[in-house]
Amino acid sequence: MQYGGPEVLEVVEVDEPHAGPGQVRIRVRAAAVNPTDTYVGTGARAEMQKADPPPYVPGMDAAGVLDEIGDGAETDLAVGDHVMAIVLPKGAHGAYAEHIVVPAESVTRVPAGATDAEAATLPMNGLTARLSLDLLALEPGQTLAVTGAAGCYGGYVVQLAKADGLRVIADASPADDQLVRDLGADVVVPRGDDVAARIREIAPEGVDGLADGSVQNGLLLAAIKDGGGFATVRGWSGPSARDLTIYPIWVRAYLNEQAKLDRLRQQVEDGSVTLRVAGTYPAAEAAEAHRQLAAGGTRGRLVIEF
Ligand SMILES: NC(=O)c1ccc[n+]([C@@H]2O[C@H](COP(=O)([O-])OP(=O)(O)OC[C@H]3O[C@@H](n4cnc5c(N)ncnc54)[C@H](OP(=O)(O)O)[C@@H]3O)[C@@H](O)[C@H]2O)c1
């Protein structure tokens, strides 16, 4: 097994999977490229993956056409429907594939009017944003700060928080200021290592909750009021010297939350959530998509098409 940069991505033949009991199969047309996908190739997951034989297929988001329904799968979807799914990759099982088999609860319809590429940008990060907000459990009118707000996760947090009736303070570089305002942030502060102080200038008492899409961890604690909550997305869990609740967010907790995934679909259809595709690549050029992601500054999601 060779680990490395984007160049280790290659097209391989794998056995065609079939839907088992409770599962459905998707003929994948689009798979989003997420930061986590790059860890499969670098070897950052080597310890976790060693029980599974290579090849390793990355990818946590798929959209395409439902083409098999397994026995007893509880779904109102039919073969031929355009669907999107969250995927938990394991070994040769990942969304960068022509076919993927997933639990029926991981799947819902593609939002009306959305392409498969657009839909593929939603399940994993939309559910992560939803989980963050559910754990922070703020009431309408309370204040949430969001960092990395121009990013995929941060952008969905901003939009879902506004739909939940929260006041949102978000960070942005000057180039992204308008983008983050357009996502619905009430106040935009400059991003950077001193962003906690910038947030405190807007909310002197501190914010009720903070969702850390920029992965700045402890640098952000000072923005949060005593008793507030902090959602972190790369496993950081403190310490905090103050009375704060830190929630390490792991989206796999929502793998089978079909109603939540379907609610995201509805929120796209009603205009409260927007889908952003930064570019599309044929499967054979997946390495190029990873190079583009690694270069930084991508706004919206890169998508691999099959
Ligand atoms: N735990 C889970 O279940 C889970 C699920 C989904 C995502 N995640 C994690 O969540 C993080 C965000 O994912 P994403 O897809 O939203 O990534 P993304 O689209 O690249 O967004 C990250 C944003 O943060 C910005 N940023 C990076 N460093 C920053 C800093 N020091 N200060 C301010 N802004 C900074 C980036 O700007 P530049 O592009 O200019 O660098 C970008 O706008 C990733 O680490 C991802 O792995 C975890």
Side-chain angles (χ1 to χ4, degrees):
M1 180 66 210
Q2 188 174 353
Y3 293 112
E7 73 284 353
V8 301
L9 278 177
E10 58 180 354
V11 176
V12 294
E13 290 295 325
V14 296
D15 292 340
E16 187 179 327
H18 292 281
Q23 298 177 322
V24 299
R25 189 176 82 167
I26 301 169
R27 168 64 180 92
V28 179
R29 298 291 181 196
V33 177
N34 289 296
T36 188
D37 304 346
T38 62
Y39 310 145
V40 179
T42 61
R45 296 261 161 76
E47 188 57 29
M48 212 188 288
Q49 289 172 328
K50 72 179 183 201
D52 303 307
Y56 301 124
V57 179
M60 293 194 72
D61 285 300
V65 179
L66 193 81
D67 77 346
E68 278 183 13
I69 298 179
D71 288 344
E74 291 206 9
T75 180
D76 60 355
L77 298 166
V79 166
D81 286 347
H82 272 264
V83 295
M84 58 184 181
I86 179 169
V87 178
L88 191 62
K90 190 175 190 308
H93 172 91
Y96 292 11
E98 286 177 5
H99 292 100
I100 188 81
V101 165
V102 287
E105 299 80 15
S106 298
V107 182
T108 195
R109 282 183 183 74
V110 162
T115 63
D116 289 339
E118 288 168 334
T121 67
L122 182 62
M124 199 278 279
N125 285 285
L127 286 169
T128 310
R130 185 68 264 159
L131 176 60
S132 304
L133 290 166
D134 289 351
L135 289 176
L136 290 168
L138 305 188
E139 299 292 333
Q142 286 193 294
T143 301
L144 175 77
V146 184
T147 63
C152 191
Y153 162 79
Y156 288 142
V157 176
V158 171
Q159 292 194 305
L160 295 181
K162 287 311 299 173
D164 286 356
L166 307 183
R167 174 178 178 241
V168 173
I169 302 172
D171 75 343
S173 64
D176 289 326
D177 187 278
Q178 192 58 47
L179 164 69
V180 173
R181 277 176 213 284
D182 290 346
L183 290 169
D186 296 284
V187 182
V188 177
V189 297
R191 66 180 257 183
D193 286 352
D194 62 351
V195 71
R198 302 283 84 80
I199 294 168
R200 276 273 178 176
E201 287 169 6
I202 306 300
E205 68 291 357
V207 293
D208 300 293
L210 194 150
D212 182 14
S214 58
V215 197
Q216 287 174 280
N217 302 331
L219 276 183
L220 304 182
L221 294 175
I224 306 167
K225 69 165 58 157
D226 285 336
F230 186 32
T232 72
V233 285
R234 285 266 185 96
W236 193 78
S237 59
S240 161
R242 288 166 50 230
D243 169 28
L244 304 177
T245 306
I246 300 175
Y247 301 100
I249 303 297
W250 299 111
V251 70
R252 69 179 79 103
Y254 274 7
L255 271 189
N256 297 310
E257 295 285 349
Q258 209 262 350
K260 292 182 188 290
L261 182 60
D262 197 54
R263 173 89 184 108
L264 291 168
R265 172 190 65 77
Q266 289 165 15
Q267 289 185 296
V268 172
E269 292 180 358
D270 73 20
S272 43
V273 170
T274 45
L275 305 176
R276 297 181 285 151
V277 175
T280 57
Y281 293 81
E285 292 171 23
E288 195 45 45
H290 275 220
R291 265 181 218 109
Q292 175 87 36
L293 181 69
T298 300
R299 295 295 173 259
R301 199 92 297 175
L302 301 164
V303 176
I304 298 170
E305 292 185 315
F306 294 85

